[in-house]
Amino acid sequence: MTADRTPMARAELAGLLADAAQSVSGVLTTEYPTSPSRSYLHPVLGALSAGPRVVCELNDRLEGFVLEEPLPATPAGLFTLASYASALGWLTESLAELTAAVDQIYTRVGIPTEPQDPAFTAPTPTEPDSEFDFAFSALELAAIRTAAEAAGLTPGDYVEVLSQSLLAASRITDACMEISSGLLEDAAYVLGEATDHVWIGDGPDSLPTLVRSLLARMETAE
């Protein structure tokens, strides 16, 4: 009976991809209140809090799409399904990597330490050979010490976990931007075709943008 359903129009298919792109990009704009004791996590908390919700929303929409768009369907519908499923899988994997990175930060912060040896404390700005002097100005050093004290960490440990947090934030940002961009490209492709069909052939251009991106990433990893 599902085969008798009318396939979704190209405008609806493109809208599904465009809406997904907006949801993915929203992961990067979500703000999450951060206490001074966890300030080193501020770069990742927004994505960490919004990501699972977006994945659930996208998954629900995918299930609805499969119910509305009978399989096998039009080439445009299959193209949309491939793009959408690739985006969902990519985002899910990226969020898993983000969660693992945050877990590592928590582990690093939670390692029991012996009382700090005074000789091992962070050097003051007056020491010319200081590693901190080379990397930070006196004003930045003061801010680091203040933030580290609020977090219960040494300045060196604080810089380390903050760097890990910034790196994780950079990775999820790159992933979300590429996913969102790919979805928009595929939406434009589906909408811009002159007929209800998209070209399906043996060449790479017959695949959705995200599928081609994932294949390229796999080849690079090998």
Side-chain angles (χ1 to χ4, degrees):
M1 295 180 64
T2 57
D4 296 331
R5 294 179 182 173
T6 302
M8 295 173 66
R10 287 182 296 108
E12 293 178 286
L13 295 172
L16 182 72
L17 296 178
D19 289 344
Q22 183 176 7
S23 295
V24 173
S25 62
V27 171
L28 303 179
T29 59
T30 300
E31 292 290 337
Y32 192 88
T34 309
S35 66
S37 63
R38 295 292 182 267
S39 60
Y40 50 85
L41 288 175
H42 180 71
V44 298
L45 286 182
L48 194 64
S49 63
R53 172 181 52 80
V54 171
V55 166
C56 288
E57 290 177 357
L58 293 183
N59 189 65
D60 289 343
R61 291 181 204 167
L62 178 61
E63 292 180 356
F65 169 67
V66 172
L67 291 176
E68 291 294 328
E69 181 74 1
L71 298 176
T74 64
L78 291 173
F79 185 94
T80 300
L81 177 60
S83 175
Y84 196 104
S86 298
L88 179 57
W90 191 340
L91 179 62
T92 301
E93 180 183 358
S94 297
L95 287 172
E97 293 174 353
L98 174 64
T99 301
V102 173
D103 284 343
Q104 290 179 351
I105 293 174
Y106 273 127
T107 300
R108 177 68 184 86
V109 171
I111 296 176
T113 58
E114 297 296 330
Q116 195 80 23
D117 189 320
F120 192 68
T121 57
T124 63
T126 58
E127 297 174 1
D129 294 332
S130 167
E131 178 183 355
F132 288 119
D133 286 341
F134 179 79
F136 303 105
S137 67
L139 184 61
E140 289 169 334
L141 273 171
I144 289 172
R145 289 195 176 92
T146 299
E149 183 179 359
L153 300 171
T154 66
D157 287 341
Y158 184 86
V159 169
E160 180 181 342
V161 293
L162 179 60
S163 298
Q164 294 175 0
S165 183
L166 289 170
L167 178 60
S170 175
R171 287 172 175 168
I172 191 65
T173 297
D174 289 346
C176 286
M177 290 180 65
E178 191 165 357
I179 293 169
S180 180
S181 176
L183 285 167
L184 290 176
E185 288 183 26
D186 289 342
Y189 179 61
V190 170
L191 187 61
E193 288 299 297
T195 68
D196 284 337
H197 297 276
V198 294
W199 177 49
I200 294 183
D202 296 329
D205 291 339
S206 63
L207 297 173
T209 302
L210 290 174
V211 175
R212 285 185 275 120
S213 297
L214 287 171
L215 289 174
R217 286 163 61 90
M218 291 173 63
E219 291 177 357
T220 301
E222 292 176 357

